């Protein structure tokens, strides 16, 4: 691992490609992990929510079960980085919206990408996990409407994800994109809501985005761009 | 030079940062040229239009003069790649708009980034070159309104630049962003209009965008994002 690489956020695919339903996996986890040891994503066919910690890949599937995933599995969309984050602050009890604005206030700049990691005790964690789709794939909105939602009143674990400046909306999820994995690996997913109880916030700032596109995927190559990409994303991601 | 690097488009800065007037150079040409031998950009203070061919950096300044530029000069925004493009087709006489749609038709995908290079004879070439600004910097729109425009009825030379998918508007110039340098190095700039007479079209497809942000620049870090970024860009770039 190159020291400089801790300043690079790697992304395979774009959020925009998921919107019309380009869910086919186009990069193996093995290849993805050559660019980082920490991150989030989804599997081929939009099969669940990925949490990558310490080089290990966990999937929360549509039944809420947490699985370890082999490196030969493929992703249509994922972000990874080499974790070298900095402890920012202890965060006490804050409700979802106030927690998000507290993290936003701690960002040294809103014009750069950040990895956001929080550990500790959380409350009222509401996650979702998308279910594996079969071809012909539906749209992201249709898939999200059929997602499974999971809730936990009190849980220890790790919140992991990214902040992307609004400018990159469509390339990435604008603002925060957070996944959760409980300490006992029994619960997690794409975070819809979360309150902090007693947590620590860590941030890692990136000076570079390496965006890898699935140039060999025929469906991606010929997909007509969506007109209302940001609207479609907002309705599918929140 | 790594073979794989011919699939990577490197960008320093974003088009969006120029919009409110963040014109300070934040990367040396020497550093930029570690990522490619061909490209376009502008110098510190928005000083002219850069054309990078075969590792040599040419600037068209606001008087229309073409200068060779030293590697210690800095850029606020530039793109480079290692040229390994493919001959696509001979292009006969076509007026500006028809020429652009002819190139668009030749792109293997509208969802990937491409380097566009054309050589040969051109007609009615209308270029602009922005003038170096002093701090406090005006906006891109104000600078573009005061740009110098140059015209040439018939000229041999090279058209060089990029195609970016609409999704990346704001990060890059959406669609085509083309500069021109005449064969005799007496004329060039940011292309506003161009007709082909007898030209050859070359394209190079990229599977990756490495986007480097000026993370150490204080003005960039604290800049409030513009609301109408795409509108502001359209009025300044065309």
């Amino acid at each position: 691992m190159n020291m400089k690489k801790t300043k690079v956020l790697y992304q395979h695919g774009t959020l925009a490609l998921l919107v019309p339903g380009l869910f086919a996996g186009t990069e193996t986890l093995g290849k993805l992990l050559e660019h980082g040891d920490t991150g989030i994503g989804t599997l081929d066919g939009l099969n669940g929510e990925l949490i990558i910690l310490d080089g290990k890949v966990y999937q929360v599937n549509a039944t809420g079960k947490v699985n370890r995933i082999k490196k030969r599995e493929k992703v249509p969309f994922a972000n990874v980085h080499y974790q070298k984050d900095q402890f920012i602050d202890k965060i006490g009890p804050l409700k979802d919206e106030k927690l998000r604005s507290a993290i936003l206030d701690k960002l040294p700049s809103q014009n750069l990408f950040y990895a956001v990691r929080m550990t500790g005790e959380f409350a009222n964690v509401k996650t979702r996990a998308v279910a594996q789709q079969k071809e012909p794939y539906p749209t992201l909105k249709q898939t999200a409407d059929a997602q499974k939602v999971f809730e936990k009143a009190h849980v220890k674990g790790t919140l992991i994800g990214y902040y992307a400046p609004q400018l990159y909306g469509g390339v990435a999820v604008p603002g925060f994109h957070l996944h959760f994995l409980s300490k006992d690996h029994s619960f997690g997913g794409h975070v819809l809501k979360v309150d902090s109880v007693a947590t620590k916030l860590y941030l890692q700032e990136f000076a570079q985005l390496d965006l890898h596109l699935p140039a060999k995927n025929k469906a991606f190559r010929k997909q007509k761009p969506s007109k209302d990409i940001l609207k479609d994303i907002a309705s599918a991601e929140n």
Side-chain angles (χ1 to χ4, degrees), chain A residues 118-140:
Chain A
M118 290 185 79
T119 59
E121 294 179 52
F122 299 87
N124 306 313
V125 186
K126 189 174 168 185
T127 66
R128 71 103 187 272
V130 282
Q132 184 166 27
Q133 305 296 310
K134 301 288 178 198
E135 293 189 88
Y137 294 128
T139 66
L140 183 63

Side-chain angles (χ1 to χ4, degrees), chain A residues 14 58 66 68 96 100 107 114 120 176 182 190 225 227 232:
Chain A
T14 65
Y58 304 90
V66 180
R68 277 289 297 278
D96 184 61
R100 287 168 196 264
L107 294 181
Y114 289 88
F176 294 113
S182 71
H190 173 100
K227 294 220 182 263
D232 290 348

Side-chain angles (χ1 to χ4, degrees), chain A:
Chain A
M1 174 192 137
N2 186 327
M3 270 305 289
K4 210 181 142 197
K5 287 286 184 183
T6 60
K7 293 283 183 196
V8 176
L9 172 60
Y10 179 85
Q11 180 170 312
H12 176 74
T14 65
L15 187 63
L17 71 81
L18 299 182
V19 170
L22 299 176
F23 298 161
T26 44
E27 183 162 87
T28 64
L29 283 167
K31 201 85 185 147
L32 183 73
L33 291 171
E34 289 176 13
H35 302 277
D37 53 24
T38 306
I40 59 178
T42 185
L43 289 176
D44 181 69
L46 223 65
N47 186 8
E49 310 287 338
L50 297 183
I51 296 101
I52 304 172
L53 294 173
D54 207 15
K56 298 181 187 75
V57 183
Y58 304 90
Q59 174 223 34
V60 181
N61 72 16
T63 69
K65 192 167 172 282
V66 180
N67 303 304
R68 277 289 297 278
I69 302 294
K70 296 222 167 67
K71 290 188 178 180
R72 63 170 179 267
E73 297 273 326
K74 287 182 174 179
V75 297
F77 179 62
N79 282 95
V80 290
H81 67 281
Y82 284 108
Q83 189 196 306
K84 200 192 169 189
D85 54 19
Q86 290 193 295
F87 171 69
I88 302 297
D89 209 351
K90 289 186 183 177
I91 308 266
L94 283 177
K95 292 272 177 199
D96 184 61
E97 278 194 31
K98 293 206 166 157
L99 175 59
R100 287 168 196 264
S101 51
I103 304 172
L104 202 62
D105 284 347
K106 301 284 185 189
L107 294 181
S109 167
Q110 292 192 25
N111 298 321
L112 292 164
F113 289 85
Y114 289 88
V116 176
R117 187 169 66 95
M118 290 185 79
T119 59
E121 294 179 52
F122 299 87
N124 306 313
V125 186
K126 189 174 168 185
T127 66
R128 71 103 187 272
V130 282
Q132 184 166 27
Q133 305 296 310
K134 301 288 178 198
E135 293 189 88
Y137 294 128
T139 66
L140 183 63
K141 175 86 171 70
Q142 288 162 342
T143 308
D145 287 347
Q147 71 195 4
K148 293 282 163 35
V149 173
F150 310 101
E151 297 189 64
K152 204 96 175 172
H154 188 272
V155 59
K156 287 186 182 177
T158 299
L159 195 71
I160 180 78
Y162 299 95
Y163 167 83
Q166 296 296 321
L167 177 62
Y168 305 89
V171 180
V173 178
F176 294 113
H177 183 189
L178 302 169
H179 285 193
F180 186 85
L181 182 65
S182 71
K183 200 175 175 184
D184 65 5
H185 295 180
S186 71
F187 171 82
H190 173 100
V191 174
L192 297 174
K193 283 198 172 179
V194 59
D195 304 341
S196 62
V197 177
T199 56
K200 288 178 180 175
L201 171 66
Y202 301 83
L203 293 174
Q204 182 169 343
E205 182 176 292
F206 302 110
Q208 186 165 322
L209 173 71
D210 283 4
L211 179 65
H212 182 258
L213 300 172
K216 289 177 182 165
N217 182 269
K218 280 184 189 168
F220 175 75
R221 294 181 70 90
K222 69 182 186 193
Q223 179 64 43
K224 286 252 165 85
S226 154
K227 294 220 182 263
D228 272 325
I229 197 81
L230 290 176
K231 221 179 95 194
D232 290 348
I233 286 168
S235 73
E237 287 295 312
N238 302 311

